[in-house]
Amino acid sequence: MEEAEFALPSETDSFSPKIGLVLGSGLGGFTDSLSDSLSIPYSDIEGLPESGAPGHAGQLHFGTLAGSEIVAAQGRVHIYEGWSAKEVASTVRLFHQIGVRTIILTNAAGIVNANLKPGRWMLISDHLNLARQSPLTGAATFIDQTDVYSRSLREFLKAEASEMEDFRLSEGVYAWVNGPEYETPAEVRMLRTLGADAVGMSTVPEAIQARALGMRVIGLSCLTNYGAGLSGQPLSHDEVVEVGMQAAKDLFRLLERAVPAMGEV
Ligand code: HPA
């Protein structure tokens, strides 16, 4: 048998979540809503890179959400910290190793389509890999990317969201850029021309990795700010984290409804 890539502390053996969640900037507070939870720092897991960016704590939480077992990764690493796309996608391979088959990737993103509003969530329908890096580099892994983000799960989430009070779920294309600097106004105009609705520095390598492993993927962008040049205001990471913290409550409301039925969709 092939040796496992990751070694987890034995306390995690009693958990067998089928659904995994990756939390983006400012969304870590979500884990307070999990019951019966066990938290493991990334440093206790052999094989995982450790994250250091502000707002990315670096812990794995096992717990239940509305009665369903899930695992949530709070904090991820990015290519702007110097990690490769393959290292960035480690969490996804770890989730797969422990039996996760549906993964929900969340992020904070800037708005490129001016019809969208800060504070809202956008379901990712497709992506643009503008960082031009892949977690699959090194082997001839020619995976199909027609439906990276599960069509049936998207339809299901949209139907759930439409029944919620004061919650509007948009849908659109997410562009992955290297960062760490935010875009220039000219770059935001370019991204719009290319067909992007939102822009961010994560999620795409994890989505590619998850599809390569045959997992079902959901991508959810928390639209924290207008992209450069769209509002006349400068961008700040503090604002991104602040808006994310507010929006984490809406994410919880949506997932609390959706997760228990997600296995059957
Ligand atoms: N650009 C790129 N990444 C981001 C942004 C942005 O405006 N906001 C949050 N993450």
Side-chain angles (χ1 to χ4, degrees), residues 50-256:
E50 266 183 81
S51 81
H56 298 273
Q59 291 200 35
L60 211 59
H61 302 266
F62 291 83
T64 55
L65 178 67
S68 295
E69 227 185 288
I70 69 163
V71 57
Q74 178 186 14
R76 51 152 71 94
V77 296
H78 301 84
I79 59 169
Y80 61 71
E81 294 164 272
W83 303 99
S84 68
K86 183 171 180 178
E87 283 165 330
V88 167
S90 300
T91 321
V92 177
R93 293 191 301 282
L94 168 66
F95 278 6
H96 186 262
Q97 182 181 309
I98 63 176
V100 168
R101 293 297 175 262
T102 301
I103 189 162
I104 304 166
L105 302 168
T106 68
N107 62 45
I111 292 171
V112 171
N113 174 350
N115 295 321
L116 299 172
K117 297 269 175 302
R120 271 195 209 156
W121 283 91
M122 184 187 89
L123 197 53
I124 302 179
S125 57
D126 203 347
H127 69 231
L128 292 169
N129 178 353
L130 298 178
R132 298 306 319 144
Q133 297 196 38
S134 170
L136 311 180
T137 297
T141 315
F142 302 118
I143 60 157
D144 173 62
Q145 287 203 101
T146 310
D147 276 314
V148 175
Y149 304 90
S150 162
R151 203 169 274 274
S152 55
L153 283 177
R154 275 192 280 140
E155 292 309 317
F156 169 68
L157 280 185
K158 282 190 282 185
E160 289 293 319
S162 71
E163 286 176 18
M164 288 167 59
E165 226 168 286
D166 301 323
F167 186 85
R168 182 135 171 226
L169 188 60
S170 303
E171 190 173 24
V173 173
Y174 174 87
W176 180 37
V177 295
N178 302 58
E181 69 284 357
Y182 291 118
E183 300 68 43
T184 64
E187 285 166 343
V188 170
R189 289 193 298 275
M190 173 193 74
L191 291 168
R192 186 67 192 133
T193 304
L194 292 178
D197 295 292
V199 57
M201 305 172 195
S202 68
T203 304
V204 169
E206 291 119 312
I208 296 170
Q209 178 70 81
R211 290 304 297 143
L213 292 168
M215 297 161 90
R216 302 193 304 168
V217 180
I218 275 290
L220 282 163
S221 289
C222 173
L223 304 171
T224 51
N225 58 281
Y226 283 110
L230 290 184
S231 74
Q233 298 291 318
L235 273 58
S236 85
H237 181 66
D238 289 349
E239 185 195 345
V240 167
V241 172
E242 176 66 37
V243 176
M245 280 170 159
Q246 285 303 318
K249 296 184 190 117
D250 283 336
L251 176 72
F252 175 67
R253 287 204 292 143
L254 174 66
L255 295 186
E256 197 181 28

